[in-house]
PDB file of all heavy atoms in Angstrom:
ATOM      1  N   LYS A1414      88.972  90.762  99.709  1.00 98.00           N
ATOM      2  CA  LYS A1414      88.701  89.861 100.841  1.00 98.00           C
ATOM      3  C   LYS A1414      87.720  90.402 101.868  1.00 98.00           C
ATOM      4  O   LYS A1414      87.378  89.734 102.826  1.00 98.00           O
ATOM      5  CB  LYS A1414      90.027  89.554 101.600  1.00 98.00           C
ATOM      6  CG  LYS A1414      91.012  88.666 100.892  1.00 98.00           C
ATOM      7  CD  LYS A1414      92.214  88.325 101.685  1.00 98.00           C
ATOM      8  CE  LYS A1414      91.805  87.438 102.909  1.00 98.00           C
ATOM      9  NZ  LYS A1414      93.045  86.977 103.639  1.00 98.00           N
ATOM     10  N   ASN A1415      87.192  91.639 101.597  1.00 98.00           N
ATOM     11  CA  ASN A1415      86.270  92.335 102.443  1.00 98.00           C
ATOM     12  C   ASN A1415      86.841  92.517 103.899  1.00 98.00           C
ATOM     13  O   ASN A1415      86.123  92.305 104.862  1.00 98.00           O
ATOM     14  CB  ASN A1415      84.922  91.542 102.533  1.00 98.00           C
ATOM     15  CG  ASN A1415      83.774  92.430 102.862  1.00 98.00           C
ATOM     16  OD1 ASN A1415      83.822  93.629 102.680  1.00 98.00           O
ATOM     17  ND2 ASN A1415      82.704  91.844 103.371  1.00 98.00           N
ATOM     18  N   ILE A1416      88.116  92.890 103.891  1.00 98.00           N
ATOM     19  CA  ILE A1416      88.760  93.227 105.163  1.00 98.00           C
ATOM     20  C   ILE A1416      88.463  94.686 105.520  1.00 98.00           C
ATOM     21  O   ILE A1416      88.857  95.536 104.776  1.00 98.00           O
ATOM     22  CB  ILE A1416      90.290  92.931 105.153  1.00 98.00           C
ATOM     23  CG1 ILE A1416      90.567  91.521 104.852  1.00 98.00           C
ATOM     24  CG2 ILE A1416      90.987  93.420 106.379  1.00 98.00           C
ATOM     25  CD1 ILE A1416      92.038  91.201 104.679  1.00 98.00           C
ATOM     26  N   ALA A1417      87.850  94.879 106.637  1.00 98.00           N
ATOM     27  CA  ALA A1417      87.557  96.293 107.069  1.00 98.00           C
ATOM     28  C   ALA A1417      88.910  97.012 107.290  1.00 98.00           C
ATOM     29  O   ALA A1417      89.777  96.470 107.996  1.00 98.00           O
ATOM     30  CB  ALA A1417      86.683  96.310 108.275  1.00 98.00           C
ATOM     31  N   PRO A1418      89.060  98.200 106.814  1.00 98.00           N
ATOM     32  CA  PRO A1418      90.401  98.935 106.948  1.00 98.00           C
ATOM     33  C   PRO A1418      90.804  99.219 108.348  1.00 98.00           C
ATOM     34  O   PRO A1418      91.966  99.293 108.673  1.00 98.00           O
ATOM     35  CB  PRO A1418      90.199 100.193 106.111  1.00 98.00           C
ATOM     36  CG  PRO A1418      88.743 100.391 106.064  1.00 98.00           C
ATOM     37  CD  PRO A1418      88.122  99.065 106.065  1.00 98.00           C
ATOM     38  N   GLY A1419      89.768  99.425 109.294  1.00 97.00           N
ATOM     39  CA  GLY A1419      90.161  99.742 110.631  1.00 97.00           C
ATOM     40  C   GLY A1419      90.047  98.537 111.598  1.00 97.00           C
ATOM     41  O   GLY A1419      90.021  98.708 112.832  1.00 97.00           O
ATOM     42  N   MET A1420      90.108  97.348 111.038  1.00 94.00           N
ATOM     43  CA  MET A1420      89.881  96.165 111.861  1.00 94.00           C
ATOM     44  C   MET A1420      90.993  95.851 112.840  1.00 94.00           C
ATOM     45  O   MET A1420      90.833  95.301 113.871  1.00 94.00           O
ATOM     46  CB  MET A1420      89.630  94.945 110.957  1.00 94.00           C
ATOM     47  CG  MET A1420      88.996  93.748 111.647  1.00 94.00           C
ATOM     48  SD  MET A1420      88.526  92.471 110.445  1.00 94.00           S
ATOM     49  CE  MET A1420      90.143  91.744 110.054  1.00 94.00           C
ATOM     50  N   ASN A1421      92.197  96.290 112.432  1.00 91.00           N
ATOM     51  CA  ASN A1421      93.392  95.891 113.255  1.00 91.00           C
ATOM     52  C   ASN A1421      94.073  97.090 113.914  1.00 91.00           C
ATOM     53  O   ASN A1421      95.307  97.142 114.026  1.00 91.00           O
ATOM     54  CB  ASN A1421      94.391  95.114 112.361  1.00 91.00           C
ATOM     55  CG  ASN A1421      93.815  93.804 111.925  1.00 91.00           C
ATOM     56  OD1 ASN A1421      93.243  93.052 112.734  1.00 91.00           O
ATOM     57  ND2 ASN A1421      93.911  93.526 110.671  1.00 91.00           N
ATOM     58  N   ARG A1422      93.282  98.130 114.317  1.00 95.00           N
ATOM     59  CA  ARG A1422      93.849  99.279 114.927  1.00 95.00           C
ATOM     60  C   ARG A1422      92.923  99.781 116.021  1.00 95.00           C
ATOM     61  O   ARG A1422      91.831  99.260 116.171  1.00 95.00           O
ATOM     62  CB  ARG A1422      94.164 100.381 113.900  1.00 95.00           C
ATOM     63  CG  ARG A1422      92.993 100.770 113.038  1.00 95.00           C
ATOM     64  CD  ARG A1422      93.120 102.158 112.466  1.00 95.00           C
ATOM     65  NE  ARG A1422      93.027 103.172 113.494  1.00 95.00           N
ATOM     66  CZ  ARG A1422      93.370 104.465 113.302  1.00 95.00           C
ATOM     67  NH1 ARG A1422      93.848 104.863 112.140  1.00 95.00           N
ATOM     68  NH2 ARG A1422      93.214 105.385 114.275  1.00 95.00           N
ATOM     69  N   SER A1423      93.322 100.766 116.769  1.00 96.00           N
ATOM     70  CA  SER A1423      92.497 101.334 117.840  1.00 96.00           C
ATOM     71  C   SER A1423      92.046 102.733 117.509  1.00 96.00           C
ATOM     72  O   SER A1423      92.620 103.384 116.591  1.00 96.00           O
ATOM     73  CB  SER A1423      93.305 101.340 119.171  1.00 96.00           C
ATOM     74  OG  SER A1423      94.496 102.064 119.022  1.00 96.00           O
ATOM     75  N   PHE A1424      91.168 103.234 118.283  1.00 98.00           N
ATOM     76  CA  PHE A1424      90.611 104.580 118.079  1.00 98.00           C
ATOM     77  C   PHE A1424      90.436 105.296 119.440  1.00 98.00           C
ATOM     78  O   PHE A1424      90.189 104.663 120.483  1.00 98.00           O
ATOM     79  CB  PHE A1424      89.245 104.449 117.379  1.00 98.00           C
ATOM     80  CG  PHE A1424      89.215 103.580 116.138  1.00 98.00           C
ATOM     81  CD1 PHE A1424      88.921 102.268 116.273  1.00 98.00           C
ATOM     82  CD2 PHE A1424      89.628 104.066 114.945  1.00 98.00           C
ATOM     83  CE1 PHE A1424      88.916 101.431 115.161  1.00 98.00           C
ATOM     84  CE2 PHE A1424      89.692 103.254 113.868  1.00 98.00           C
ATOM     85  CZ  PHE A1424      89.375 101.946 113.951  1.00 98.00           C
ATOM     86  N   LEU A1425      90.545 106.630 119.429  1.00 98.00           N
ATOM     87  CA  LEU A1425      90.413 107.401 120.634  1.00 98.00           C
ATOM     88  C   LEU A1425      89.104 107.160 121.348  1.00 98.00           C
ATOM     89  O   LEU A1425      89.088 107.018 122.583  1.00 98.00           O
ATOM     90  CB  LEU A1425      90.524 108.888 120.311  1.00 98.00           C
ATOM     91  CG  LEU A1425      91.886 109.586 120.439  1.00 98.00           C
ATOM     92  CD1 LEU A1425      91.769 111.070 120.174  1.00 98.00           C
ATOM     93  CD2 LEU A1425      92.534 109.348 121.827  1.00 98.00           C
ATOM     94  N   ALA A1426      88.036 107.079 120.587  1.00 98.00           N
ATOM     95  CA  ALA A1426      86.653 106.964 121.184  1.00 98.00           C
ATOM     96  C   ALA A1426      86.396 105.660 121.855  1.00 98.00           C
ATOM     97  O   ALA A1426      85.353 105.458 122.480  1.00 98.00           O
ATOM     98  CB  ALA A1426      85.620 107.262 120.120  1.00 98.00           C
ATOM     99  N   GLU A1427      87.359 104.721 121.710  1.00 98.00           N
ATOM    100  CA  GLU A1427      87.157 103.424 122.500  1.00 98.00           C
ATOM    101  C   GLU A1427      87.171 103.649 123.953  1.00 98.00           C
ATOM    102  O   GLU A1427      86.660 102.887 124.721  1.00 98.00           O
ATOM    103  CB  GLU A1427      88.286 102.432 122.101  1.00 98.00           C
ATOM    104  CG  GLU A1427      88.156 101.859 120.609  1.00 98.00           C
ATOM    105  CD  GLU A1427      89.258 100.889 120.358  1.00 98.00           C
ATOM    106  OE1 GLU A1427      89.366  99.827 121.080  1.00 98.00           O
ATOM    107  OE2 GLU A1427      89.985 101.118 119.403  1.00 98.00           O
ATOM    108  N   ASN A1428      87.730 104.819 124.397  1.00 98.00           N
ATOM    109  CA  ASN A1428      87.817 105.122 125.820  1.00 98.00           C
ATOM    110  C   ASN A1428      86.730 106.068 126.276  1.00 98.00           C
ATOM    111  O   ASN A1428      86.664 106.484 127.375  1.00 98.00           O
ATOM    112  CB  ASN A1428      89.176 105.759 126.165  1.00 98.00           C
ATOM    113  CG  ASN A1428      90.340 104.824 125.935  1.00 98.00           C
ATOM    114  OD1 ASN A1428      90.289 103.603 126.306  1.00 98.00           O
ATOM    115  ND2 ASN A1428      91.376 105.244 125.304  1.00 98.00           N
ATOM    116  N   TRP A1429      85.780 106.445 125.314  1.00 98.00           N
ATOM    117  CA  TRP A1429      84.703 107.303 125.595  1.00 98.00           C
ATOM    118  C   TRP A1429      83.532 106.533 126.148  1.00 98.00           C
ATOM    119  O   TRP A1429      82.443 106.485 125.586  1.00 98.00           O
ATOM    120  CB  TRP A1429      84.243 108.090 124.404  1.00 98.00           C
ATOM    121  CG  TRP A1429      85.351 109.045 123.851  1.00 98.00           C
ATOM    122  CD1 TRP A1429      86.580 109.257 124.251  1.00 98.00           C
ATOM    123  CD2 TRP A1429      85.125 109.993 122.735  1.00 98.00           C
ATOM    124  NE1 TRP A1429      87.229 110.198 123.500  1.00 98.00           N
ATOM    125  CE2 TRP A1429      86.358 110.630 122.583  1.00 98.00           C
ATOM    126  CE3 TRP A1429      84.071 110.225 121.934  1.00 98.00           C
ATOM    127  CZ2 TRP A1429      86.539 111.603 121.576  1.00 98.00           C
ATOM    128  CZ3 TRP A1429      84.243 111.206 120.940  1.00 98.00           C
ATOM    129  CH2 TRP A1429      85.459 111.889 120.732  1.00 98.00           C
ATOM    130  N   THR A1430      83.706 105.907 127.315  1.00 97.00           N
ATOM    131  CA  THR A1430      82.642 105.034 127.875  1.00 97.00           C
ATOM    132  C   THR A1430      81.411 105.833 128.249  1.00 97.00           C
ATOM    133  O   THR A1430      80.329 105.220 128.438  1.00 97.00           O
ATOM    134  CB  THR A1430      83.174 104.274 129.042  1.00 97.00           C
ATOM    135  OG1 THR A1430      83.806 105.110 129.998  1.00 97.00           O
ATOM    136  CG2 THR A1430      84.191 103.222 128.600  1.00 97.00           C
ATOM    137  N   ASN A1431      81.514 107.120 128.428  1.00 96.00           N
ATOM    138  CA  ASN A1431      80.364 107.957 128.748  1.00 96.00           C
ATOM    139  C   ASN A1431      79.430 108.137 127.490  1.00 96.00           C
ATOM    140  O   ASN A1431      78.241 108.431 127.674  1.00 96.00           O
ATOM    141  CB  ASN A1431      80.826 109.356 129.243  1.00 96.00           C
ATOM    142  CG  ASN A1431      81.650 110.120 128.216  1.00 96.00           C
ATOM    143  OD1 ASN A1431      82.520 109.533 127.583  1.00 96.00           O
ATOM    144  ND2 ASN A1431      81.334 111.398 128.015  1.00 96.00           N
ATOM    145  N   LEU A1432      80.012 107.912 126.308  1.00 97.00           N
ATOM    146  CA  LEU A1432      79.203 108.031 125.068  1.00 97.00           C
ATOM    147  C   LEU A1432      78.965 106.762 124.364  1.00 97.00           C
ATOM    148  O   LEU A1432      77.954 106.539 123.764  1.00 97.00           O
ATOM    149  CB  LEU A1432      79.882 109.069 124.138  1.00 97.00           C
ATOM    150  CG  LEU A1432      80.017 110.531 124.596  1.00 97.00           C
ATOM    151  CD1 LEU A1432      80.869 111.300 123.609  1.00 97.00           C
ATOM    152  CD2 LEU A1432      78.652 111.161 124.776  1.00 97.00           C
ATOM    153  N   ILE A1433      79.970 105.865 124.405  1.00 97.00           N
ATOM    154  CA  ILE A1433      79.954 104.664 123.574  1.00 97.00           C
ATOM    155  C   ILE A1433      80.273 103.439 124.497  1.00 97.00           C
ATOM    156  O   ILE A1433      81.389 103.297 124.937  1.00 97.00           O
ATOM    157  CB  ILE A1433      80.973 104.645 122.387  1.00 97.00           C
ATOM    158  CG1 ILE A1433      80.769 105.949 121.613  1.00 97.00           C
ATOM    159  CG2 ILE A1433      80.757 103.466 121.583  1.00 97.00           C
ATOM    160  CD1 ILE A1433      81.869 106.159 120.541  1.00 97.00           C
ATOM    161  N   PRO A1434      79.297 102.599 124.785  1.00 96.00           N
ATOM    162  CA  PRO A1434      79.613 101.381 125.550  1.00 96.00           C
ATOM    163  C   PRO A1434      80.627 100.555 124.949  1.00 96.00           C
ATOM    164  O   PRO A1434      80.697 100.407 123.708  1.00 96.00           O
ATOM    165  CB  PRO A1434      78.216 100.651 125.669  1.00 96.00           C
ATOM    166  CG  PRO A1434      77.248 101.704 125.341  1.00 96.00           C
ATOM    167  CD  PRO A1434      77.892 102.675 124.401  1.00 96.00           C
ATOM    168  N   LYS A1435      81.518  99.929 125.696  1.00 97.00           N
ATOM    169  CA  LYS A1435      82.638  99.103 125.181  1.00 97.00           C
ATOM    170  C   LYS A1435      82.080  97.977 124.323  1.00 97.00           C
ATOM    171  O   LYS A1435      82.714  97.557 123.385  1.00 97.00           O
ATOM    172  CB  LYS A1435      83.393  98.494 126.392  1.00 97.00           C
ATOM    173  CG  LYS A1435      84.392  99.436 127.048  1.00 97.00           C
ATOM    174  CD  LYS A1435      85.634  99.627 126.195  1.00 97.00           C
ATOM    175  CE  LYS A1435      86.713 100.379 126.891  1.00 97.00           C
ATOM    176  NZ  LYS A1435      87.914 100.553 126.080  1.00 97.00           N
ATOM    177  N   LYS A1436      80.861  97.465 124.638  1.00 97.00           N
ATOM    178  CA  LYS A1436      80.414  96.375 123.906  1.00 97.00           C
ATOM    179  C   LYS A1436      80.084  96.710 122.458  1.00 97.00           C
ATOM    180  O   LYS A1436      80.073  95.847 121.534  1.00 97.00           O
ATOM    181  CB  LYS A1436      79.146  95.813 124.551  1.00 97.00           C
ATOM    182  CG  LYS A1436      77.898  96.655 124.469  1.00 97.00           C
ATOM    183  CD  LYS A1436      76.683  96.021 125.133  1.00 97.00           C
ATOM    184  CE  LYS A1436      75.430  96.820 124.946  1.00 97.00           C
ATOM    185  NZ  LYS A1436      74.953  96.903 123.543  1.00 97.00           N
ATOM    186  N   GLU A1437      79.831  98.044 122.185  1.00 97.00           N
ATOM    187  CA  GLU A1437      79.608  98.463 120.780  1.00 97.00           C
ATOM    188  C   GLU A1437      80.873  98.199 119.961  1.00 97.00           C
ATOM    189  O   GLU A1437      80.787  97.726 118.849  1.00 97.00           O
ATOM    190  CB  GLU A1437      79.232  99.907 120.755  1.00 97.00           C
ATOM    191  CG  GLU A1437      77.934 100.314 121.505  1.00 97.00           C
ATOM    192  CD  GLU A1437      76.671 100.023 120.634  1.00 97.00           C
ATOM    193  OE1 GLU A1437      76.772  99.220 119.740  1.00 97.00           O
ATOM    194  OE2 GLU A1437      75.662 100.562 121.018  1.00 97.00           O
ATOM    195  N   TRP A1438      81.998  98.581 120.507  1.00 98.00           N
ATOM    196  CA  TRP A1438      83.293  98.355 119.766  1.00 98.00           C
ATOM    197  C   TRP A1438      83.501  96.860 119.584  1.00 98.00           C
ATOM    198  O   TRP A1438      83.983  96.429 118.513  1.00 98.00           O
ATOM    199  CB  TRP A1438      84.448  98.998 120.515  1.00 98.00           C
ATOM    200  CG  TRP A1438      84.437 100.475 120.534  1.00 98.00           C
ATOM    201  CD1 TRP A1438      84.047 101.308 121.544  1.00 98.00           C
ATOM    202  CD2 TRP A1438      84.793 101.302 119.434  1.00 98.00           C
ATOM    203  NE1 TRP A1438      84.158 102.607 121.122  1.00 98.00           N
ATOM    204  CE2 TRP A1438      84.593 102.661 119.896  1.00 98.00           C
ATOM    205  CE3 TRP A1438      85.240 101.083 118.126  1.00 98.00           C
ATOM    206  CZ2 TRP A1438      84.870 103.772 119.049  1.00 98.00           C
ATOM    207  CZ3 TRP A1438      85.523 102.208 117.330  1.00 98.00           C
ATOM    208  CH2 TRP A1438      85.286 103.502 117.751  1.00 98.00           C
ATOM    209  N   TYR A1439      83.249  96.078 120.635  1.00 98.00           N
ATOM    210  CA  TYR A1439      83.493  94.614 120.467  1.00 98.00           C
ATOM    211  C   TYR A1439      82.581  94.059 119.440  1.00 98.00           C
ATOM    212  O   TYR A1439      83.023  93.227 118.588  1.00 98.00           O
ATOM    213  CB  TYR A1439      83.214  94.001 121.845  1.00 98.00           C
ATOM    214  CG  TYR A1439      83.267  92.478 121.749  1.00 98.00           C
ATOM    215  CD1 TYR A1439      84.426  91.790 121.707  1.00 98.00           C
ATOM    216  CD2 TYR A1439      82.100  91.733 121.746  1.00 98.00           C
ATOM    217  CE1 TYR A1439      84.545  90.409 121.600  1.00 98.00           C
ATOM    218  CE2 TYR A1439      82.107  90.366 121.565  1.00 98.00           C
ATOM    219  CZ  TYR A1439      83.360  89.662 121.553  1.00 98.00           C
ATOM    220  OH  TYR A1439      83.369  88.334 121.447  1.00 98.00           O
ATOM    221  N   GLU A1440      81.283  94.432 119.480  1.00 98.00           N
ATOM    222  CA  GLU A1440      80.288  93.802 118.500  1.00 98.00           C
ATOM    223  C   GLU A1440      80.671  94.259 117.089  1.00 98.00           C
ATOM    224  O   GLU A1440      80.527  93.358 116.133  1.00 98.00           O
ATOM    225  CB  GLU A1440      78.900  94.258 118.897  1.00 98.00           C
ATOM    226  CG  GLU A1440      78.443  93.515 120.183  1.00 98.00           C
ATOM    227  CD  GLU A1440      77.049  94.062 120.661  1.00 98.00           C
ATOM    228  OE1 GLU A1440      76.528  95.051 119.995  1.00 98.00           O
ATOM    229  OE2 GLU A1440      76.585  93.573 121.686  1.00 98.00           O
ATOM    230  N   VAL A1441      81.024  95.516 116.850  1.00 98.00           N
ATOM    231  CA  VAL A1441      81.333  95.912 115.524  1.00 98.00           C
ATOM    232  C   VAL A1441      82.676  95.277 114.992  1.00 98.00           C
ATOM    233  O   VAL A1441      82.775  94.854 113.797  1.00 98.00           O
ATOM    234  CB  VAL A1441      81.451  97.447 115.453  1.00 98.00           C
ATOM    235  CG1 VAL A1441      81.900  97.909 114.035  1.00 98.00           C
ATOM    236  CG2 VAL A1441      80.114  98.104 115.727  1.00 98.00           C
ATOM    237  N   GLY A1442      83.621  95.141 115.899  1.00 97.00           N
ATOM    238  CA  GLY A1442      84.819  94.414 115.611  1.00 97.00           C
ATOM    239  C   GLY A1442      84.583  92.966 115.235  1.00 97.00           C
ATOM    240  O   GLY A1442      85.155  92.442 114.227  1.00 97.00           O
ATOM    241  N   GLN A1443      83.662  92.346 115.932  1.00 98.00           N
ATOM    242  CA  GLN A1443      83.292  90.967 115.579  1.00 98.00           C
ATOM    243  C   GLN A1443      82.577  90.850 114.290  1.00 98.00           C
ATOM    244  O   GLN A1443      82.791  89.967 113.463  1.00 98.00           O
ATOM    245  CB  GLN A1443      82.365  90.390 116.711  1.00 98.00           C
ATOM    246  CG  GLN A1443      82.082  88.924 116.576  1.00 98.00           C
ATOM    247  CD  GLN A1443      83.301  88.054 116.722  1.00 98.00           C
ATOM    248  OE1 GLN A1443      84.115  88.247 117.662  1.00 98.00           O
ATOM    249  NE2 GLN A1443      83.574  87.167 115.750  1.00 98.00           N
ATOM    250  N   GLU A1444      81.715  91.885 114.005  1.00 98.00           N
ATOM    251  CA  GLU A1444      81.062  91.926 112.672  1.00 98.00           C
ATOM    252  C   GLU A1444      82.085  92.029 111.588  1.00 98.00           C
ATOM    253  O   GLU A1444      81.936  91.328 110.555  1.00 98.00           O
ATOM    254  CB  GLU A1444      80.126  93.195 112.632  1.00 98.00           C
ATOM    255  CG  GLU A1444      79.459  93.383 111.286  1.00 98.00           C
ATOM    256  CD  GLU A1444      78.782  94.783 111.186  1.00 98.00           C
ATOM    257  OE1 GLU A1444      78.809  95.564 112.123  1.00 98.00           O
ATOM    258  OE2 GLU A1444      78.224  95.078 110.088  1.00 98.00           O
ATOM    259  N   ALA A1445      83.112  92.837 111.736  1.00 98.00           N
ATOM    260  CA  ALA A1445      84.155  92.984 110.723  1.00 98.00           C
ATOM    261  C   ALA A1445      84.881  91.694 110.476  1.00 98.00           C
ATOM    262  O   ALA A1445      85.125  91.296 109.377  1.00 98.00           O
ATOM    263  CB  ALA A1445      85.193  94.079 111.140  1.00 98.00           C
ATOM    264  N   MET A1446      85.201  90.976 111.581  1.00 98.00           N
ATOM    265  CA  MET A1446      85.911  89.652 111.438  1.00 98.00           C
ATOM    266  C   MET A1446      85.032  88.649 110.753  1.00 98.00           C
ATOM    267  O   MET A1446      85.506  87.895 109.904  1.00 98.00           O
ATOM    268  CB  MET A1446      86.318  89.173 112.818  1.00 98.00           C
ATOM    269  CG  MET A1446      87.504  89.895 113.404  1.00 98.00           C
ATOM    270  SD  MET A1446      88.196  89.146 114.872  1.00 98.00           S
ATOM    271  CE  MET A1446      87.005  89.571 116.098  1.00 98.00           C
ATOM    272  N   ASP A1447      83.790  88.652 111.061  1.00 98.00           N
ATOM    273  CA  ASP A1447      82.840  87.700 110.448  1.00 98.00           C
ATOM    274  C   ASP A1447      82.692  87.938 108.913  1.00 98.00           C
ATOM    275  O   ASP A1447      82.363  87.003 108.185  1.00 98.00           O
ATOM    276  CB  ASP A1447      81.448  87.764 111.127  1.00 98.00           C
ATOM    277  CG  ASP A1447      81.507  87.262 112.537  1.00 98.00           C
ATOM    278  OD1 ASP A1447      82.472  86.548 112.959  1.00 98.00           O
ATOM    279  OD2 ASP A1447      80.514  87.570 113.297  1.00 98.00           O
ATOM    280  N   LEU A1448      82.857  89.172 108.477  1.00 98.00           N
ATOM    281  CA  LEU A1448      82.715  89.503 107.076  1.00 98.00           C
ATOM    282  C   LEU A1448      83.918  89.182 106.152  1.00 98.00           C
ATOM    283  O   LEU A1448      83.779  89.215 104.963  1.00 98.00           O
ATOM    284  CB  LEU A1448      82.296  90.973 106.946  1.00 98.00           C
ATOM    285  CG  LEU A1448      80.902  91.381 107.448  1.00 98.00           C
ATOM    286  CD1 LEU A1448      80.778  92.867 107.423  1.00 98.00           C
ATOM    287  CD2 LEU A1448      79.821  90.744 106.596  1.00 98.00           C
ATOM    288  N   VAL A1449      85.031  88.906 106.762  1.00 98.00           N
ATOM    289  CA  VAL A1449      86.252  88.601 105.997  1.00 98.00           C
ATOM    290  C   VAL A1449      86.058  87.317 105.207  1.00 98.00           C
ATOM    291  O   VAL A1449      85.613  86.306 105.730  1.00 98.00           O
ATOM    292  CB  VAL A1449      87.483  88.494 106.910  1.00 98.00           C
ATOM    293  CG1 VAL A1449      88.704  88.100 106.066  1.00 98.00           C
ATOM    294  CG2 VAL A1449      87.736  89.830 107.621  1.00 98.00           C
TER     295      VAL A1449
END
C-alpha cells in the first residue's frame, strides 16, 4: 500500500526547532499520506 513505516508515530527531533523547522515535518508527513 506504500504506507511509510513512520507515518503514524512521533520522533525526538520534531522538537529540535533550532535545527529543523516544524513545517519540514508537516510537509514530509503530508508527502507520506499522499503516497498511500
Side-chain angles (χ1 to χ4, degrees):
K1414 288 186 67 173
N1415 207 20
I1416 296 175
M1420 199 171 75
N1421 295 312
R1422 54 158 290 169
S1423 59
F1424 310 94
L1425 266 185
E1427 288 181 60
N1428 296 315
W1429 295 4
T1430 51
N1431 61 315
L1432 295 175
I1433 309 171
K1435 281 283 189 183
K1436 72 178 184 66
E1437 298 279 19
W1438 290 103
Y1439 173 79
E1440 289 173 358
V1441 175
Q1443 189 62 51
E1444 177 191 359
M1446 286 190 283
D1447 291 344
L1448 289 171
V1449 175

